């Protein structure tokens, strides 16, 4: 059994593709996996995403609107997680990232409403939770605490643990491909593409 912690920008350009690659690889290899999604957002991550999208020649909303979209997606994720559970919150982010992966300018309140409606998420439930700023902030801070603990500086970042191994975990910074991921799972990877984490959370790590 592997555990994968995926640290992502809530609307990050490479996060959708990375998640898709990971799931495809795990399915093809028939590997048992427990996924943990940790969306994080700060000024540096927002700026990094803007730079990547500009290099990709994407249409972009103005910077303030783009920043607001990032933080709103982060709050929505935590509100959905608290109201409906992790699985539906992950699905929300996945659908949002898929919509924005090639054109961030399509972001709008109407897009958010469509995604939540398609997922049978009631806006009234989310607004009720978001009115309690303390609950949302505590949930966000809990994820940020883990990111700080592992010194996560960029998104997407993937951390892999193997519960059947007593070695260290592997941290992969940036987009990954299926070949590298498959090699890592079978402990045949080259040193330069990863660095190792000390033991955390009493897990036996890759």
């Amino acid at each position: 059994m592997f555990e994968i912690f995926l640290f992502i920008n809530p609307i990050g350009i490479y996060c959708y593709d990375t998640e898709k690659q990971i799931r495809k690889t795990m399915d093809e290899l028939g590997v048992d996996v427990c996924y943990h999604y940790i969306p994080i957002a700060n000024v540096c991550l927002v700026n990094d995403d803007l730079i990547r999208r500009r290099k990709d020649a994407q249409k972009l909303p103005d910077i303030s609107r783009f920043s607001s979209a990032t933080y709103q997606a982060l709050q929505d994720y935590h509100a959905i997680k608290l109201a409906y559970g992790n699985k539906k919150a992950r699905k929300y982010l996945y659908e949002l990232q898929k919509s924005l992966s090639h054109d961030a300018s399509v972001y709008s309140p109407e897009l958010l409403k469509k995604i939540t409606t398609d997922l049978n998420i009631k806006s009234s439930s989310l607004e009720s939770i978001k009115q309690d700023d303390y609950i949302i902030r505590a949930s966000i801070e809990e994820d940020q605490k883990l990111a700080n603990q592992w010194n996560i500086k960029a998104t997407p970042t993937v951390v892999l643990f193997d519960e059947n191994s007593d070695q260290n975990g592997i941290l992969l910074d940036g987009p990954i491909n299926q070949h590298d991921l498959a090699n890592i799972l079978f402990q045949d990877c080259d040193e330069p593409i990863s660095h190792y984490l000390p033991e955390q959370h009493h897990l036996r790590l890759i």
Side-chain angles (χ1 to χ4, degrees):
M1 166 69 79
F2 286 90
E3 276 195 295
I4 292 182
F5 291 77
L6 182 55
F7 293 85
I8 55 176
N9 177 323
I11 63 171
I13 183 173
Y14 297 141
C15 298
Y16 168 72
D17 289 335
T18 297
E19 178 184 348
K20 193 166 59 172
Q21 289 283 357
I22 290 173
R23 288 191 174 276
K24 183 177 180 181
T25 303
M26 296 304 186
D27 288 344
E28 289 181 354
L29 295 175
V31 178
D32 290 330
V33 182
C34 178
Y35 293 99
H36 304 275
Y37 286 71
I38 301 94
I40 53 177
N42 56 48
V43 173
C44 291
L45 295 180
V46 172
N47 286 337
D48 286 347
D49 197 43
L50 281 167
I51 291 169
R52 290 169 175 173
R53 290 179 184 275
R54 286 183 182 127
K55 287 181 179 177
D56 211 37
Q58 285 200 14
K59 295 179 181 178
L60 292 168
D62 64 78
I63 294 177
S64 62
R65 185 162 170 246
F66 188 81
S67 298
S68 296
T70 303
Y71 289 105
Q72 181 174 353
L74 182 65
Q75 286 191 327
D76 286 346
Y77 169 86
H78 284 276
I80 295 169
K81 182 174 74 171
L82 292 167
Y84 293 91
N86 289 319
K87 186 175 181 179
K88 186 153 286 192
R90 289 197 300 265
K91 182 66 174 174
Y92 169 78
L93 274 192
Y94 186 78
E95 293 300 323
L96 180 59
Q97 289 169 349
K98 181 167 66 174
S99 299
L100 302 178
S101 59
H102 299 297
D103 184 4
S105 69
V106 303
Y107 178 86
S108 67
E110 290 74 25
L111 173 63
L112 300 184
K113 184 172 179 58
K114 181 182 184 307
I115 293 173
T116 54
T117 299
D118 290 346
L119 295 175
N120 295 316
I121 295 170
K122 294 181 179 179
S123 299
S124 57
S125 299
L126 301 190
E127 292 306 316
S128 176
I129 290 175
K130 286 197 286 187
Q131 284 177 5
D132 191 335
D133 184 60
Y134 175 78
I135 293 177
I136 294 292
R137 189 167 64 249
S139 185
I140 292 173
E141 288 176 354
E142 189 66 24
D143 282 353
Q144 187 61 53
K145 181 180 178 181
L146 183 60
N148 293 341
Q149 183 178 347
W150 286 342
N151 198 31
I152 305 299
K153 299 296 185 184
T155 58
T157 293
V158 178
V159 179
L160 299 97
F161 297 105
D162 183 354
E163 292 185 343
N164 297 315
S165 173
D166 58 2
Q167 298 180 33
N168 288 331
I170 295 177
L171 184 151
L172 298 166
D173 187 354
I176 60 176
N177 59 51
Q178 286 184 271
H179 175 73
D180 288 340
L181 184 56
N183 284 343
I184 289 166
L185 292 174
F186 291 103
Q187 302 184 36
D188 188 30
C189 59
D190 298 325
E191 285 290 335
I193 67 171
S194 65
H195 61 280
Y196 294 93
L197 291 170
E199 268 192 59
Q200 309 275 355
H201 295 303
H202 308 292
L203 292 172
R204 292 172 294 170
L205 314 178
I206 302 176

